[in-house]
């Protein structure tokens, strides 16, 4: 496949993909961590104010030699943590202090190495890691001994130099505090040896009255690890405050909600593609960065392999690009499965015009793409409204996260599933307070949405709210989540209430058979039925829409092949069928055989698949000579191929028989 000129035009003139990926990265790197970074800055301000003001309280605190310490709990170590610490370092350098050092356990096996790295980063000087005299760092003027005394001397010199600068120079660094603190970030606190941490903390606490030092511990497990690594005599020297970052799942949910579930980017992901990306995230790496890279791959694959991707653009450019379509591109449109279904449902005269007249086809495509854009403008607000209801119900019949609901709606007609029936049954048991709250949220979502068809829907929901306000009584007939009732029942403390709840439901069900429904019950049924009708009208699966192939990337197999690595399958394919990767016609073979011109390791591998548990090397060599053209170096080539198979783990030497090797892999790959 090759990029069409139109696809190249899309990349050069309208880089929507790059803008969207940039927005996703900014959301992940800055916006989601903004609250966490603001809290850390406030902590630094509180811990630094006493030192800056030289108050009595600070002197009293320094008698206890406590070091201000932020315990930053980030969760399981993933590749995203490096990005978080880099962003934190930039925020601190821009808003608080220029003196920030990032330390890793692998660079600090001893206290000397730690001090060397610390001074090297703070002084921005050269550090010779291989030097035997690792007690020193080399600056532009002289060598400085790596010690806390040297650090204090350096800090006093740079702060005095700043105090004596001219007002114009001081104005350029006004974003930094006066006598700014020295922040030391331990990126992987659990990986540091106990002795290194103890020595550094004890030494630093003895000089805390001279140096405003602040520690930041990056923790992947639990804050209790601090007390597990450090004895009480050392941990008592720390004034610890806990900071908890958002989990990686919350990061992913926010990115999907604010970027993918919107109309701002024309390219959409099908249910299977989105599920592949989510599964890789949940079951492999928990990395939001890798999820964004996977989305980038979807963009490249769609515009590389789909000839009609030129029409995947913003609405204001669609008409211009449709008019520039060639006859071959019009034929590509006619071959789309969704368009062929559309043509089959049209009158015969219109069918002939669509299949023979390019001008009429372009007018129709313009209208169909407009309809597809309107579908998206209506789909996402209604999806959020449905999520308002489903996310508040016990056991979350349609998923707790909006991404789960989105995948369910894309997969098939959601109203035909058993989970949706469960949702309707639970929704018909909601109390007045919950219903009113949910309806108010739905009104807010629909009013702020770009869809132009929600005026009647908003008016109807407001009418429901008015009717609820006129009803007497509060939040009667409220349900309690079943799992809570079960817990109370099994604890044996409130079993009576649980039985009362069951009997009440049975009595309510029996009363509905024999008595008329109350006004509240009738209104509740009417609200649920109306929400059901809105869902059926707007949440039609995308693959039921004409020309959805243009804007939806749905090749999940390609994405899985690139991202979900299967080394053994790839290795078996390369050795069993080298043509798959080398693309040489001389290697093409039929019927499962292998060409005699294939690499030696491929021939030997193919032969070893036909052997049992033990393989006779002499017989193996003779069969190999028959399978390939004999040469003077065939014996040496055979030994080399066998050695390569042993290196790859397919065979190993056997002590049971002489001149035999044992096979290690079995079954299909």
């Amino acid at each position: 496949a090759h990029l069409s000129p139109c696809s190249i035009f899309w990349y050069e003139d309208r880089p929507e993909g790059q803008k969207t990926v940039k927005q996703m990265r900014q959301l992940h790197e800055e916006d989601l961590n903004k609250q966490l970074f603001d809290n850390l800055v406030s902590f630094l301000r509180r811990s630094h104010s006493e030192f800056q003001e030289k108050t009595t309280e600070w002197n009293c605190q320094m008698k206890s030699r406590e070091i201000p310490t932020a315990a930053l709990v980030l969760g399981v170590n993933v590749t995203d943590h490096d990005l978080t610490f880099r962003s934190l370092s930039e925020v601190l350098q821009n808003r608080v202090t220029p003196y920030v050092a990032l330390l890793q356990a692998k660079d600090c096996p001893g206290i000397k190495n730690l001090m060397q790295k610390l001074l090297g980063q703070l002084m921005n000087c050269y550090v010779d890691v291989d030097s035997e005299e690792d007690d020193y760092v080399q600056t532009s003027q002289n060598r400085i001994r790596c010690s806390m005394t040297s650090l204090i001397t350096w800090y006093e010199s740079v702060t005095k130099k700043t105090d004596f600068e001219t007002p114009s120079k001081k104005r350029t660094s006004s974003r930094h505090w006066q006598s700014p603190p020295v922040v030391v970030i331990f990126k992987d606190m659990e990986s540091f040896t106990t002795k290194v941490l103890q020595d550094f903390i004890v030494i630093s606490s003895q000089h805390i009255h001279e140096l405003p030092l602040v520690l930041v511990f990056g923790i992947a497990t639990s804050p209790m690890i601090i007390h597990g690594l450090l004895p009480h005599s050392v941990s008592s020297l720390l004034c610890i405050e806990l900071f908890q970052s958002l989990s990686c799942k919350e990061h992913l949910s926010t990115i999907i909600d604010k970027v993918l579930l919107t109309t701002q980017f024309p390219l959409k992901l099908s249910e299977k593609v989105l599920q592949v990306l989510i599964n890789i995230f949940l079951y492999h790496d928990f990395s939001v960065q890798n999820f964004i890279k996977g989305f980038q791959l979807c963009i490249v694959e769609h515009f590389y392999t789909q000839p009609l991707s030129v029409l995947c653009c913003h609405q204001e450019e669609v008409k211009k690009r449709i008019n520039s379509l060639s006859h071959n591109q019009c034929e590509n449109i006619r071959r789309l499965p969704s368009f062929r279904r559309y043509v089959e449902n049209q009158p015969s005269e219109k069918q002939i015009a669509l299949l023979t007249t390019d001008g009429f086809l372009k007018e129709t495509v313009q209208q169909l793409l407009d309809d597809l854009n309107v579908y998206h403008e209506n789909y996402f607000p209604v999806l959020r409204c449905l999520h308002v209801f489903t996310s508040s119900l016990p056991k979350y019949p349609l998923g707790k996260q909006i991404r789960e609901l989105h995948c369910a709606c894309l997969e098939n007609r959601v109203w035909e599933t058993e989970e949706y029936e469960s949702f309707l049954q639970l929704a018909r048991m909601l109390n007045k307070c919950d219903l009113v709250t949910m309806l108010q949220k739905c009104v807010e979502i629909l009013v702020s949405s770009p869809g132009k068809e929600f005026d009647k829907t908003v008016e109807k929901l407001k009418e429901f709210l008015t009717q609820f306000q006129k009803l007497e009584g509060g939040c009667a007939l409220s349900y309690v989540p079943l799992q809570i009732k079960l817990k109370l029942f099994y604890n044996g403390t409130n079993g009576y209430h649980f039985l009362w709840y069951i009997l009440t439901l049975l009595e309510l069900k029996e009363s509905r058979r024999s008595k008329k429904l109350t006004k509240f019950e009738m209104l509740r049924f009417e609200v649920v039925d109306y929400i059901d009708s809105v869902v059926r009208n707007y949440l039609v699966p995308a693959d039921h829409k004409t020309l959805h192939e243009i804007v939806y990337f749905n090749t999940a197999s390609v994405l899985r092949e690139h991202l979900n690595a299967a080394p053994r399958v790839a290795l078996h394919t390369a050795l069993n069928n080298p043509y798959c990767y080398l693309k040489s016609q001389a290697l093409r073979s039929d019927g499962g055989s292998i060409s005699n011109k294939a690499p030696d390791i491929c021939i030997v591998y193919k032969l070893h698949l036909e052997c049992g548990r033990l393989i006779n090397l002499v017989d193996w060599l003779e069969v190999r000579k028959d399978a390939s053209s004999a040469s003077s170096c065939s014996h040496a080539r055979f030994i080399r191929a066998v050695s390569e198979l042993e290196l790859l783990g397919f065979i190993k030497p056997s002590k049971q028989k002489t001149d035999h090797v044992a096979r290690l892999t079995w079954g299909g790959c």
Side-chain angles (χ1 to χ4, degrees):
H2 297 282
L3 276 173
S4 64
C6 293
S7 296
I8 297 174
F9 167 77
W10 183 91
Y11 272 109
E12 293 178 350
D13 188 56
R14 297 288 297 180
E16 291 97 340
Q18 290 85 334
K19 292 181 181 178
T20 304
V21 171
K22 182 179 179 181
Q23 181 182 357
M24 294 172 76
R25 292 189 184 280
Q26 181 180 3
L27 186 65
H28 171 50
E29 297 173 11
E30 301 175 8
D31 298 348
L32 291 176
N33 289 322
K34 184 177 184 301
Q35 184 63 42
L36 174 66
F37 293 165
D38 289 344
N39 293 338
L40 282 169
V41 171
S42 300
F43 167 73
L44 291 174
R45 182 178 289 108
R46 292 195 308 271
S47 62
H48 182 63
S49 59
E50 291 86 358
F51 179 87
Q52 186 175 351
E53 296 171 3
K54 304 293 183 182
T55 60
T56 307
E57 293 183 3
W58 173 259
N59 295 330
C60 294
Q61 184 179 1
M62 285 309 97
K63 290 180 181 179
S64 63
R65 300 182 301 174
E66 290 186 349
I67 305 174
T69 304
L72 180 56
V73 182
L74 295 175
V76 179
N77 276 322
V78 292
T79 54
D80 295 357
H81 287 184
D82 290 335
L83 181 62
T84 302
F85 283 118
R86 286 201 302 269
S87 301
L88 173 61
S89 178
E90 292 176 0
V91 168
L92 295 180
Q93 289 177 341
N94 291 332
R95 298 171 55 183
V96 179
T97 173
Y99 313 126
V100 180
L102 284 166
L103 301 179
Q104 282 186 285
K106 64 179 182 179
D107 299 327
C108 307
I111 187 63
K112 292 182 179 180
N113 306 93
L114 188 149
M115 293 302 300
Q116 187 183 40
K117 283 289 182 181
L118 177 60
L119 268 70
Q121 291 189 33
L122 293 177
M123 299 180 184
N124 196 21
C125 57
Y126 172 73
V127 178
D128 186 5
V129 180
D130 299 327
S131 174
E132 296 181 357
E133 297 180 348
D134 56 358
D135 287 353
Y136 296 86
V137 294
Q138 183 67 42
T139 64
S140 58
Q141 297 177 346
N142 53 12
R143 296 163 69 229
I144 299 177
R145 183 178 179 83
C146 296
S147 65
M148 189 61 68
T149 304
S150 302
L151 180 60
I152 294 172
T153 304
W154 166 82
Y155 178 79
E156 292 176 349
S157 64
V158 294
T159 52
K160 287 181 179 179
K161 180 180 179 182
T162 305
D163 293 338
F164 287 111
E165 283 180 347
T166 59
S168 61
K169 289 185 178 181
K170 290 187 69 175
R171 207 175 294 122
T172 60
S173 60
S174 58
R175 66 181 186 274
H176 295 145
W177 300 345
Q178 184 181 1
S179 300
V182 176
V183 181
V184 182
I185 302 175
F186 295 84
K187 297 173 65 174
D188 46 351
M189 189 257 188
E190 292 98 335
S191 300
F192 280 84
T193 61
T194 302
K195 181 173 175 52
V196 171
L197 288 175
Q198 287 186 24
D199 292 346
F200 181 74
I201 293 172
V202 171
I203 295 172
S204 301
S205 65
Q206 295 173 355
H207 300 275
I208 192 65
H209 60 284
E210 303 173 88
L211 182 69
L213 188 67
V214 179
L215 305 182
V216 178
F217 288 155
I219 300 175
T221 54
S222 167
M224 295 303 296
I225 193 65
I226 298 177
H227 302 286
L229 287 175
L230 303 174
H232 177 71
S233 59
V234 178
S235 61
S236 61
L237 301 177
L238 304 176
C239 181
I240 303 174
E241 186 166 335
L242 182 63
F243 296 89
Q244 178 76 51
S245 71
L246 292 175
S247 67
C248 51
K249 291 183 180 180
E250 292 174 324
H251 279 235
L252 178 66
S253 298
T254 305
I255 288 178
I256 292 177
D257 186 23
K258 293 189 176 182
V259 180
L260 296 186
L261 300 184
T262 62
T263 58
Q264 59 184 341
F265 182 52
L267 177 64
K268 304 292 187 295
L269 302 181
S270 68
E271 180 269 335
K272 291 183 179 179
V273 171
L274 183 58
Q275 201 63 54
V276 168
L277 292 177
I278 293 175
N279 288 341
I280 291 175
F281 172 86
L282 293 177
Y283 301 113
H284 286 78
D285 52 19
F286 286 107
S287 174
V288 179
Q289 289 188 79
N290 290 343
F291 180 89
I292 296 174
K293 291 178 181 177
F295 179 70
Q296 285 181 286
L297 180 60
C298 294
I299 296 174
V300 174
E301 283 289 336
H302 183 72
F303 286 94
Y304 186 79
T305 59
Q306 174 56 264
L308 297 173
S309 58
V310 60
L311 299 179
C312 183
C313 58
H314 287 299
Q315 198 64 19
E316 58 269 15
E317 294 189 7
V318 170
K319 185 175 182 179
K320 180 176 66 174
R321 297 193 180 186
I322 289 178
N323 293 332
S324 64
L325 293 177
S326 64
H327 175 72
N328 291 334
Q329 290 174 316
C330 291
E331 289 298 321
N332 288 333
I333 294 177
R334 295 184 176 105
R335 284 192 285 267
L336 292 176
S338 63
F339 186 78
R340 293 172 65 179
R341 291 195 300 267
Y342 171 79
V343 173
E344 291 173 357
N345 295 327
Q346 303 303 314
S348 57
E349 297 83 2
K350 191 173 182 179
Q351 288 182 1
I352 296 174
L354 288 171
L355 297 176
T356 58
T357 307
D358 289 350
F360 184 72
L361 173 69
K362 293 179 180 179
E363 294 177 2
T364 305
V365 169
Q366 171 73 44
Q367 181 61 42
L368 291 174
L369 289 179
D370 289 342
D371 295 342
L372 191 60
N373 183 64
V374 172
Y375 161 76
H376 287 133
E377 290 180 348
N378 297 332
Y379 173 87
F380 293 117
V382 175
L383 180 73
R384 298 181 191 280
C385 291
L386 180 59
H387 179 65
V388 168
F389 280 84
T390 59
S391 62
S392 303
L393 298 176
K395 294 188 178 180
Y396 310 107
L398 288 172
K400 184 177 181 179
Q401 303 291 339
I402 192 172
R403 63 171 184 265
E404 300 173 284
L405 179 61
H406 177 54
C407 290
C409 294
L410 290 179
E411 186 177 7
N412 48 37
R413 293 182 176 93
V414 68
W415 55 86
E416 296 178 354
T417 61
E418 295 181 0
E419 293 80 6
Y420 187 80
E421 290 298 326
S422 300
F423 151 70
L424 291 180
Q425 293 177 5
L426 292 172
R428 293 189 177 104
M429 297 173 59
L430 289 170
N431 60 43
K432 177 182 174 182
C433 293
D434 291 339
L435 268 177
V436 169
T437 302
M438 293 176 184
L439 290 177
Q440 289 174 344
K441 291 181 180 179
C442 291
V443 170
E444 294 175 0
I445 292 172
L446 297 179
V447 168
S448 60
S449 68
K452 302 177 182 178
E453 301 180 5
F454 293 133
D455 293 340
K456 294 183 179 179
T457 305
V458 171
E459 183 179 349
K460 186 67 175 178
L461 295 181
K462 290 182 177 179
E463 180 182 339
F464 285 138
L465 290 173
T466 303
Q467 295 179 23
F468 276 121
Q469 291 176 357
K470 294 179 180 179
L471 290 177
E472 296 181 358
C475 304
L477 297 175
S478 62
Y479 75 86
V480 179
L482 185 58
Q483 58 267 35
I484 296 179
K485 288 292 186 181
L486 287 173
K487 183 177 180 181
L488 294 174
F489 177 70
Y490 286 120
N491 286 343
T493 55
N494 290 314
Y496 169 78
H497 296 288
F498 173 75
L499 294 176
W500 174 84
Y501 172 72
I502 297 296
L503 292 174
T504 302
L505 292 181
L506 294 175
E507 183 181 353
L508 179 62
K509 185 176 181 180
E510 185 66 26
S511 65
R512 287 174 179 170
R513 294 178 181 177
S514 57
K515 300 179 182 179
K516 293 183 179 180
L517 298 176
T518 64
K519 291 183 179 180
F520 168 73
E521 291 172 338
M522 294 175 61
L523 183 58
R524 180 172 58 186
F525 272 69
E526 187 178 352
V527 170
V528 174
D529 291 341
Y530 183 76
I531 296 298
D532 180 40
S533 65
V534 173
V535 169
R536 293 171 183 266
N537 188 26
Y538 292 107
L539 295 188
V540 180
D543 56 8
H544 288 58
K545 293 294 180 179
T546 308
L547 301 183
H548 71 272
E549 297 93 341
I550 294 177
V551 297
Y552 276 86
F553 175 69
N554 53 13
T555 316
S557 58
V558 175
L559 192 66
R560 193 179 295 109
E561 179 182 349
H562 286 296
L563 298 181
N564 208 358
R568 184 181 175 188
V569 175
L571 191 58
H572 171 77
T573 303
L575 296 177
N576 193 50
N577 183 20
Y579 172 79
C580 180
Y581 291 99
L582 299 180
K583 302 300 182 184
S584 174
Q585 293 299 325
L587 300 177
R588 184 186 289 272
S589 59
D590 299 324
S593 61
I594 192 167
S595 172
N596 59 0
K597 296 182 180 179
D600 294 327
I601 188 175
C602 297
I603 299 175
V604 172
Y605 176 79
K606 187 72 174 178
L607 293 174
H608 115 284
L609 293 177
E610 303 171 1
C611 300
R613 187 175 64 87
L614 295 177
I615 306 175
N616 190 317
L617 291 174
V618 177
D619 296 340
W620 200 2
L621 174 60
E622 293 300 325
V623 177
R624 186 262 181 199
K625 289 182 179 179
D626 297 337
S628 61
S629 56
S631 63
S632 58
C633 60
S634 59
H635 189 270
R637 289 165 56 184
F638 172 76
I639 294 176
R640 178 179 179 180
V642 171
S643 300
E644 290 173 345
L645 284 183
E646 181 181 353
L647 179 65
L648 293 174
F650 290 103
I651 59 175
K652 72 174 183 178
S654 175
K655 297 181 180 180
Q656 296 182 8
K657 289 186 178 181
T658 308
D659 297 333
H660 281 68
V661 293
R663 183 177 172 184
L664 299 178
T665 58
W666 303 89
C669 296

